[in-house]
Amino acid sequence: MSNYKSNPLVMDCIFSENLAQWGAGAIHNELSNPTIIDCDFNDNSSVKGYGGAVFNYSSNPVVVNSTFFGNSAADGGGMADWDDCSSTLLNCNFTSNFASRWGGGIMQHWAANPIMVNCIFYGNSADRGGAIAIYKSNPTIINCTVARNLASANYGGGVYNKYGRAGLTNCILWGNEDAGGSDESAQIRVEYASPRI
């Protein structure tokens, strides 16, 4: 599905085993504000691009009660936000998603300001930011669980935050690992940034 300058409602849908070379495996949003409710994204992939399941470019999607499982991409295994995005995730579950290049097993943010509330990020993996990779972004993360995610390099098994100001409130970061082990820096790794915790 490709949305351009549009605001569709996507409800009770399953996106499974879709493949794209660039963009997203399932839904590509550009200058769009879709609402996605009660959807499952399973085993979608973007070979060379961003967002195995969903890619947002200058878009503000709202995703509610949805599940992302086994999706993969070069960047942002489950979802990627690029350039002036303000995506909202409510009550979503991201499990076993994978990013192979610049990180974000479940999500990569680049110059974006997403909001994530009551979400679970479990068992995802990437080179850096096993769950979330943040670049020049200011995400707000509230009441979320970030657990058992893995970064293959020494860059934050849970959250990798570079040149950004991630805001984490009432969140659990537990059992995340990177190449350096499972210490505090493996839960959230900060470089040239000042997170709001």
Side-chain angles (χ1 to χ4, degrees):
M1 182 178 190
S2 179
N3 301 314
Y4 178 70
K5 293 185 178 179
S6 58
N7 307 305
L9 171 63
V10 183
M11 182 181 292
D12 296 322
C13 293
I14 297 173
F15 294 83
S16 181
E17 298 183 13
N18 299 288
L19 173 67
Q21 289 296 314
W22 297 94
I27 299 179
H28 181 102
N29 298 308
E30 185 172 348
L31 303 173
S32 297
N33 303 309
T35 299
I36 301 167
I37 302 173
D38 293 325
C39 291
D40 292 334
F41 297 88
N42 303 318
D43 301 312
N44 302 285
S45 60
S46 177
V47 178
K48 300 176 182 178
Y50 309 97
V54 179
F55 174 59
N56 305 306
Y57 179 79
S58 297
S59 298
N60 303 305
V62 176
V63 186
V64 182
N65 296 333
S66 295
T67 300
F68 294 73
F69 178 86
N71 303 286
S72 62
D75 299 294
M79 180 183 291
D81 281 351
W82 272 64
D83 289 341
D84 196 28
C85 285
S86 295
S87 60
T88 300
L89 301 177
L90 304 174
N91 303 318
C92 292
N93 191 324
F94 289 77
T95 306
S96 300
N97 300 284
F98 170 73
S100 61
R101 187 169 48 193
W102 290 104
I106 67 108
M107 182 171 264
Q108 184 187 94
H109 309 297
W110 185 274
N113 301 293
I115 298 172
M116 294 167 271
V117 181
N118 296 334
C119 295
I120 296 174
F121 310 131
Y122 181 86
N124 304 282
S125 59
D127 178 64
R128 58 191 71 193
I132 303 169
I134 300 162
Y135 298 94
K136 299 181 180 179
S137 299
N138 304 301
T140 298
I141 306 169
I142 302 171
N143 297 339
C144 292
T145 298
V146 184
R148 296 285 187 186
N149 301 285
L150 174 66
S152 58
N154 194 19
Y155 293 101
V159 178
Y160 176 64
N161 183 20
K162 185 172 184 178
Y163 300 116
R165 293 200 68 215
L168 286 82
T169 302
N170 199 34
C171 292
I172 296 172
L173 287 88
W174 176 81
N176 300 290
E177 295 184 28
D178 62 14
S182 58
D183 59 4
E184 186 174 312
S185 68
Q187 308 313 304
I188 179 169
R189 171 74 178 257
V190 178
E191 293 184 350
Y192 313 108
S194 53
R196 299 166 285 127
I197 300 175

